[in-house]
Amino acid sequence: MKQLGTILMEDGVLTEEQLLDAIDEQRERGQSLGRTLVELGLISEGQLVRALASQVGMDFVELTDFPVDRAAVAMVPDTVCRRHAALPIQIDGDILKIAMSNPGNVVAVDDIRTITRMQVLPVVAAHDDVLTAIDRYCRSDAELNELQGAITDEDEAVDLNNMGSVIEDDAPIVRFVNLLITQAIQDRASDIHIEPAEKDVLVRYRIDGVLHEMQRAPKAIQNGVISRIKIMADIDIAERRKPQDGRLSVNHNGKKVDLRVATLPTVWGEKIVMRILDNSTASMDLMDLGIREDNLEMYKQSYQKPYGMILVTGPTGSGKSTTLYATLNQVARPEINVITVEDPVEYRIPGINQVQVNPKAGLTFAAALRSILRADPDVVLLGEIRDGETAQIAIEAALTGHLVLSTLHTNDAPSAITRLIEMDIEPFLVGSAVDCVVAQRLARRLCSNCKEEYTPSLPEVERFGWTDAEHLPTLWRPTGCARCSHTGYRGRLALHEIMPVSEEIERLAVARASSAEIARAAKDAGMEVLLSDGWVKAQQGLTSTEELLRVVK
């Protein structure tokens, strides 16, 4: 049997010098050579698994490119696949080929042989690739379809129109809703839309900012599904005429996941939108947001001040709250008092006083803000500035020694100044209080596994200010692979437009100048617009020009 190091050298992965250094390091650490090589960054986990497979004479499979046979996948229950981290990938006569990271797991091989009554041939794949492939192929679609039939064929003793606490934990309607949520989390969805239509119910997931149709369920299960979600979110199931909000938590793979639920009456019944809240967002660092170094330096100068107002602007779903929480993580310290007013409180953060807006009880943004200013805060995070009264109190707080962080719905940074003035805030107060405005958008990130390098035409890049036809830049475009569900994109990144309020912008605000005039002054002072920031990231291979033009007009 060949040694692991010899195999890696023959494959051109390691040099002899690197191998000898790694062997010395291995002796000091007292661990395996393969683990040492990975920890030193000399080889990847996948390269190690491939070499180990070669060492024992087994085939290695790159699951991201392998054409997995869905008929093979369907032969083994997904619970078995997940338990053993093994995935059926191909049927060859009476032989079932199984991808595993640990082909020596004889219990897994025996279980699958017993279930399928076929000969089982293990092949080796990287552990993370196996888990990703299981999430991709062992979907809940088939079970969802079976449950739809079970629900519609169910005995009518349970009235789906008035379903309450009588629902049992193993009832088909309960399992159906649980599967919808589980599948959405596995698919990295940010929102689940359940939309009643005339003859059926449409289920859509928002993945990387784009809605994808996932299910069309029979109309007969509509009221049962809606009632079940309302019960989980502690919403009044009898009230169907007005919008309601709630919150629920589920356990997914041992991790607690929170969902924010909103109902909206439509002509065909109540539409439900569930926002999946990633609690890791609350602990994000500003560096994780992809703010470029020069922009980050400008932004730091604002949030490190003890007073003033910082506004984050953009449409719904553009990551404004994430940016505010990341900023809050930079400024929050044990020696200062941080209070937030939110509607709703999306992420619970220890050590910070968070206030939930409750209009029914008279606790509006303005009322809450007025009260917390008497609670001796140093930093105030205001979920959103919606009206002139809230804006006025926030401006006054920023002028009296508080650092105020908030969001505003405008298309770009300069428009935030004119928007506040339109709310009847005195222009001289706006210019004095606002210290920095950040506009942002979220663009889909190119899949690192399948993005394709190319040289664009001049007309394609002229939109971004490129005029040199002889020296065109190198860009990347989406192609699509199994890892990104053949979309060409996986994940998202933020585009930023950061505008510190200079003396010139303050003078323009007092003069009630237009947002176009303020934008010109900001650009002269060094502000990069959203499209320019996106263009830099496109040249770095992070996103495509097509995606930039989709999110920034």
Side-chain angles (χ1 to χ4, degrees):
M1 184 186 292
K2 284 188 179 180
Q3 294 296 316
L4 177 65
T6 305
I7 294 170
L8 289 169
M9 283 172 39
E10 287 178 355
D11 290 344
V13 176
L14 275 182
T15 65
E16 185 177 358
E17 185 180 355
Q18 287 174 322
L19 177 59
L20 292 173
D21 290 342
I23 291 172
D24 291 339
E25 185 70 25
Q26 172 209 357
R27 289 175 183 144
E28 289 182 18
R29 298 187 181 201
Q31 61 185 19
S32 69
L33 176 60
R35 183 51 46 200
T36 303
L37 288 166
V38 171
E39 290 182 1
L40 291 174
L42 296 173
I43 62 171
S44 67
E45 196 81 42
Q47 288 169 328
L48 172 62
V49 174
R50 183 191 294 271
L52 290 172
S54 177
Q55 189 178 26
V56 296
M58 297 189 72
D59 290 336
F60 177 85
V61 172
E62 188 71 61
L63 278 179
T64 52
D65 300 321
F66 190 87
V68 174
D69 184 349
R70 290 187 178 272
V73 175
M75 296 187 71
V76 180
D78 69 320
T79 51
V80 176
C81 293
R82 294 183 193 283
R83 186 190 315 140
H84 297 305
L87 181 72
I89 58 173
Q90 194 177 65
I91 300 171
D92 184 8
D94 62 345
I95 297 174
L96 182 65
K97 192 176 284 187
I98 306 289
M100 308 172 67
S101 59
N102 178 18
N105 186 347
V106 292
V107 175
V109 174
D110 285 345
D111 280 356
I112 295 171
R113 184 186 296 119
T114 302
I115 291 167
T116 61
R117 297 179 181 174
M118 297 180 70
Q119 294 183 50
V120 174
L121 175 64
V123 295
V124 184
H127 182 69
D128 288 348
D129 286 350
V130 173
L131 297 183
T132 301
I134 289 172
D135 282 344
R136 186 185 311 127
Y137 294 107
C138 293
R139 295 178 56 86
S140 310
D141 298 3
E143 191 173 353
L144 284 169
N145 290 331
E146 288 176 18
L147 286 172
Q148 289 175 19
I151 295 166
T152 51
D153 295 341
E154 232 179 10
D155 191 286
E156 292 298 324
V158 177
D159 181 3
L160 292 181
N161 290 314
N162 297 291
M163 192 174 282
S165 58
V166 296
I167 302 179
E168 297 178 2
D169 288 343
D170 61 347
I173 204 80
V174 174
R175 288 165 55 207
F176 181 84
V177 171
N178 290 348
L179 278 171
L180 280 183
I181 295 172
T182 300
Q183 191 63 63
I185 296 170
Q186 287 178 359
D187 287 355
R188 304 176 298 105
S190 59
D191 299 87
I192 306 169
H193 290 242
I194 299 172
E195 304 171 335
E198 182 178 8
K199 297 179 181 177
D200 54 18
V201 180
L202 175 63
V203 178
R204 297 195 290 173
Y205 294 165
R206 187 179 292 279
I207 302 171
D208 293 336
V210 178
L211 281 169
H212 300 267
E213 181 177 327
M214 308 306 293
Q215 285 279 328
R216 279 193 177 269
K219 187 76 172 175
I221 76 171
Q222 173 180 314
N223 290 329
V225 170
I226 291 170
S227 294
R228 173 58 185 166
I229 294 171
K230 283 184 169 182
I231 291 166
M232 294 172 72
D234 198 21
I235 293 174
D236 183 2
I237 64 171
E239 179 56 72
R240 303 178 185 177
R241 298 166 299 173
K242 64 181 183 182
Q244 298 185 80
D245 295 304
R247 188 185 183 99
L248 63 92
S249 296
V250 297
N251 285 315
H252 179 72
N253 293 339
K255 178 183 174 184
K256 182 184 174 187
V257 178
D258 294 325
L259 292 93
R260 191 180 77 202
V261 181
T263 70
L264 181 70
T266 71
V267 291
W268 301 118
E270 286 180 283
K271 171 187 168 83
I272 287 188
V273 178
M274 291 185 276
R275 167 68 57 87
I276 300 171
L277 304 172
D278 182 359
N279 290 312
S280 63
T281 299
S283 57
M284 283 186 76
D285 189 88
L286 277 173
M287 297 300 292
D288 300 330
L289 301 181
I291 302 179
R292 288 170 41 223
E293 198 168 328
D294 47 351
N295 276 339
L296 184 59
E297 201 53 47
M298 280 195 290
Y299 189 46
K300 268 184 182 178
Q301 292 173 13
S302 296
Y303 72 70
Q304 287 178 344
K305 292 179 182 176
Y307 58 86
M309 177 182 280
I310 295 174
L311 293 172
V312 182
T313 74
T316 302
S318 59
K320 299 188 297 296
S321 296
T322 302
T323 299
L324 284 183
Y325 279 114
T327 306
L328 204 59
N329 289 331
Q330 295 294 315
V331 301
R333 301 185 303 278
E335 61 268 24
I336 66 172
N337 182 18
V338 180
I339 305 180
T340 75
V341 187
E342 303 167 70
D343 183 22
V345 174
E346 292 191 353
Y347 308 105
R348 268 78 168 184
I349 307 176
I352 290 177
N353 308 283
Q354 296 175 277
V355 178
Q356 169 84 47
V357 168
N358 186 355
K360 290 181 182 176
L363 188 62
T364 61
F365 272 112
L369 185 54
R370 201 178 293 112
S371 298
I372 66 174
L373 289 177
R374 294 193 287 271
D376 186 32
D378 296 292
V379 179
V380 177
L381 187 150
L382 191 58
E384 185 182 344
I385 293 178
R386 297 180 179 175
D387 53 60
E389 184 183 7
T390 307
Q392 185 69 45
I393 301 168
I395 290 281
E396 289 171 0
L399 290 170
T400 53
H402 304 89
L403 180 62
V404 179
L405 310 173
S406 189
T407 69
L408 197 63
H409 283 279
T410 63
N411 289 326
D412 56 21
S415 299
I417 303 295
T418 53
R419 178 80 182 99
L420 288 172
I421 294 171
E422 286 167 3
M423 288 181 171
D424 292 329
I425 309 298
E426 289 293 337
F428 71 91
L429 292 178
V430 173
S432 301
V434 180
D435 196 72
C436 183
V437 184
V438 179
Q440 74 176 53
R441 297 288 189 280
L442 290 179
R444 288 181 293 174
R445 185 187 292 270
L446 283 168
C447 173
S448 58
N449 187 58
C450 66
K451 64 182 180 182
E452 179 183 67
E453 191 176 304
Y454 76 106
T455 302
S457 63
L458 183 60
E460 181 183 346
V461 295
E462 277 180 332
R463 175 73 175 81
F464 304 96
W466 192 280
T467 56
D468 188 352
E470 293 184 8
H471 301 91
L472 291 166
T474 298
L475 297 178
W476 283 260
R477 60 188 167 202
T479 55
C481 66
R483 183 175 290 180
C484 60
S485 302
H486 300 284
T487 62
Y489 298 96
R490 185 175 175 84
R492 290 192 286 178
L493 75 157
L495 313 179
H496 299 95
E497 178 178 288
I498 297 180
M499 184 187 81
V501 177
S502 62
E503 288 185 13
E504 176 62 17
I505 292 173
E506 187 176 342
R507 186 187 64 76
L508 289 170
V510 172
R512 296 180 180 269
S514 67
S515 58
E517 292 176 90
I518 295 173
R520 277 195 293 272
K523 288 176 192 173
D524 291 342
M527 180 189 81
E528 276 202 351
V529 297
L530 286 164
L531 200 61
S532 297
D533 186 53
W535 173 238
V536 173
K537 289 170 181 174
Q539 292 179 84
Q540 293 171 348
L542 300 176
T543 190
S544 66
T545 55
E546 178 187 19
E547 178 66 7
L548 286 181
L549 296 176
R550 184 184 71 85
V551 298
V552 184
K553 299 297 182 184

